[in-house]
Amino acid sequence: MNDTFGKLYLIPTTLGDTEPLNVLPLTVKRIIDQIDIYIVENEKTARRDIKKICPDKKQQSLKLFPLNKFTDIAELPSYLEPCKNGLNLGLLSEAGCPGVADPGADIVKIAHQNNIKVVPLVGPSSIIMAMMSSGMNGQSFAFNGYLPIDKQERKAELKRLERLSFEQNQSQLFIETPYRNNKFLEDLCATLNSNTEICVACDITLPSEYIKTMSANDWKKNNVDLHKRPTLFIIHKS
C-alpha cells in the first residue's frame, strides 16, 4: 500500500427507513463526519443518508461521483484521484454493504490495482443476515442474484440449483424485483420438491421484518404478502 495515499472507506447504510444508529456503529458516523468526497449510486438518496447519519454535516461541502448503470467504466479510475492526492474517499452503498451485489465492486478492484488501502466498515448485509436467521447451512452457501425471467428457463435453473443444494449440502440464495416477490414464491413452491426448505427473509432490520423457514409444501398453505418489500429467498434440499 502507498502510505501517502488516502484510503477508500466502504460505508454501509441502512436497509430501509430506520434510524441509522439503530443498525450502524458509531464508527460509520465518525468516518462520514471526516469525509467530504463520496462515490454513490444515487446523489439524492446519498445526501439524504449522510444527513440522517450526520445531521450537522454541511451538504455544500460534499462532492459526489455517480456509480450506476449509466456510468462510463472508463471514468472510474478518475474517481480515485482524491486518494492519490492524500484524501480519504467514501464508497456509499444505496442499501446495506458496498461491493456485495453492488456496482461498488468495480471501484474496489481499481483501488487494489492502484495500491490504495480499502477499509470495510461494519454494517447490515441483507445476504448475511438472511443466512444467519434461516437455520440453513451457513458453512456453504451461494448468492445467485436474479434468476431468468423466462418461465421455462427459471424452472430449469431452480431445479439445477436444488440438485446442487442436495449434492453439495449448499444453501442457495436469490433476490427478485420486489413487485414480483409473491409470484416468485409461488414459482418456488410449484417447482421445488415438497420437502425442500424455503426461507423468506423480508424487510430485514425494519419494524415490519418477517423471517420464516418452512418446506415448500408448508409455504403453499401460508398466506404472506411480499409485494414491493425487499426480500431474500433461500432454498435448501436435504
Side-chain angles (χ1 to χ4, degrees):
M1 301 298 169
N2 190 320
D3 292 336
T4 67
F5 287 174
K7 300 171 184 176
L8 175 64
Y9 284 90
L10 310 187
I11 303 175
T13 58
T14 61
L15 296 173
D17 190 18
T18 187
E19 282 299 314
L21 296 185
N22 284 347
V23 293
L24 298 173
L26 286 174
T27 301
V28 170
K29 183 180 187 306
R30 178 172 59 82
I31 294 298
I32 290 179
D33 269 332
Q34 297 170 2
I35 295 178
D36 289 329
I37 309 171
Y38 296 88
I39 300 169
V40 304
E41 282 189 65
N42 181 286
E43 180 173 338
K44 182 179 179 180
T45 56
R47 287 185 179 277
R48 180 199 66 199
D49 289 340
I50 290 170
K51 187 172 181 62
K52 285 180 69 175
I53 296 168
C54 298
D56 295 331
K57 193 171 186 67
K58 297 186 184 305
Q59 289 285 316
Q60 59 266 34
S61 70
L62 299 177
K63 183 173 183 180
L64 307 181
F65 296 107
L67 177 57
N68 51 49
K69 62 182 179 181
F70 302 110
T71 306
D72 184 350
I73 297 297
E75 292 184 37
L76 298 187
S78 69
Y79 287 6
L80 292 168
E81 284 302 313
C83 286
K84 293 183 177 180
N85 293 324
L87 299 175
N88 291 332
L89 184 65
L91 176 61
L92 193 68
S93 178
E94 187 77 355
C97 296
V100 180
D102 178 88
D106 292 330
I107 282 290
V108 175
K109 182 177 181 180
I110 295 170
H112 285 299
Q113 292 169 347
N114 284 271
N115 291 318
I116 294 169
K117 185 172 182 178
V118 176
V119 183
L121 300 183
V122 174
S125 164
S126 59
I127 295 170
I128 296 300
M129 296 178 81
M131 198 63 238
M132 286 166 60
S133 54
S134 69
M136 296 180 180
N137 189 4
Q139 298 286 344
S140 178
F141 58 90
F143 177 65
N144 298 279
Y146 295 93
L147 294 186
I149 295 176
D150 179 82
K151 186 175 182 179
Q152 292 306 314
E153 290 179 6
R154 171 175 293 203
K155 181 178 180 179
E157 181 66 357
L158 278 173
K159 295 303 288 184
R160 184 187 75 82
L161 291 169
E162 184 181 41
R163 286 194 301 273
L164 185 65
S165 175
F166 178 72
E167 292 166 359
Q168 299 192 10
N169 189 28
Q170 184 181 69
S171 302
Q172 304 292 332
L173 295 87
F174 319 95
I175 53 175
E176 180 54 280
T177 304
Y179 69 85
R180 293 186 186 137
N181 280 339
N182 289 334
K183 181 63 170 64
F184 186 61
L185 182 56
E186 289 178 10
D187 289 346
L188 289 176
C189 293
T191 303
L192 301 175
N193 185 283
S194 62
N195 292 324
T196 294
E197 288 194 318
I198 302 171
C199 176
V200 172
C202 177
D203 290 344
I204 294 174
T205 73
L206 302 182
S208 55
E209 181 177 86
Y210 176 88
I211 303 172
K212 186 70 176 176
T213 298
M214 296 189 291
S215 69
N217 189 55
D218 286 339
W219 274 113
K220 292 177 183 178
K221 309 167 191 173
N222 188 284
N223 186 23
V224 57
D225 186 8
L226 306 173
H227 187 58
K228 293 188 176 180
R229 300 168 68 187
T231 304
L232 266 290
F233 298 90
I234 315 175
I235 67 169
H236 196 107
K237 183 178 181 182
S238 300

